[in-house]
Amino acid sequence: QVCPGLRTPQVPVWLCCLSGRHSVVFSINSLLLSNWKAERVFCLYFYSGQREQHKAVHLTIDTHAHHWEEDQSKDPSSPEKKRPALEMAIRTKWVGATISWNGTDPFF
């Protein structure tokens, strides 16, 4: 018998495989499951379970940032335009979102 909490989580949880490593992205905001307005600015946490990661990475997601104001003249393959796999995975759900790593160095 599967616990109802596992069938219907109370908070949003996504299991990911990024660069061949399994990890979890989650939020403690249950409104993300039921209220689209909560998707304006919100926090996500990322945990890979790797030995070098001692605590979850705290990310702030802004889905209404002015991403179109970025310098479009730069080559998309240039090092300045490369994004971490985690950011690219998050943008599969929230296209064009701005992601703040809140002081943590982004890792690829």
Side-chain angles (χ1 to χ4, degrees):
Q1 180 89 5
V2 176
C3 169
L6 291 175
R7 289 183 297 211
T8 309
Q10 294 181 8
V11 294
V13 176
W14 295 274
L15 300 175
C16 305
C17 183
L18 302 169
S19 303
R21 294 183 172 181
H22 291 90
S23 55
V24 64
V25 177
F26 63 95
S27 176
I28 57 173
N29 182 358
S30 62
L31 288 177
L32 285 176
L33 293 171
S34 60
N35 185 349
W36 62 270
K37 292 179 183 177
E39 293 185 6
R40 166 71 170 86
V41 176
F42 56 95
C43 295
L44 291 178
Y45 297 90
F46 171 76
Y47 188 71
S48 67
Q50 299 299 314
R51 191 178 339 214
E52 59 272 5
Q53 186 179 1
H54 301 288
K55 63 179 186 172
V57 175
H58 174 231
L59 305 167
T60 302
I61 314 301
D62 184 349
T63 60
H64 288 83
H66 300 288
H67 60 276
W68 56 84
E69 293 177 355
E70 287 184 7
D71 186 3
Q72 299 297 324
S73 63
K74 289 183 183 176
D75 179 15
S77 62
S78 70
E80 300 89 35
K81 291 292 241 180
K82 292 192 186 279
R83 301 287 184 213
L86 176 58
E87 287 189 19
M88 300 308 292
I90 290 170
R91 287 189 180 113
T92 63
K93 174 141 178 74
W94 295 285
V95 177
T98 302
I99 300 163
S100 169
W101 288 72
N102 297 311
T104 302
D105 289 332
F107 44 86
F108 290 82

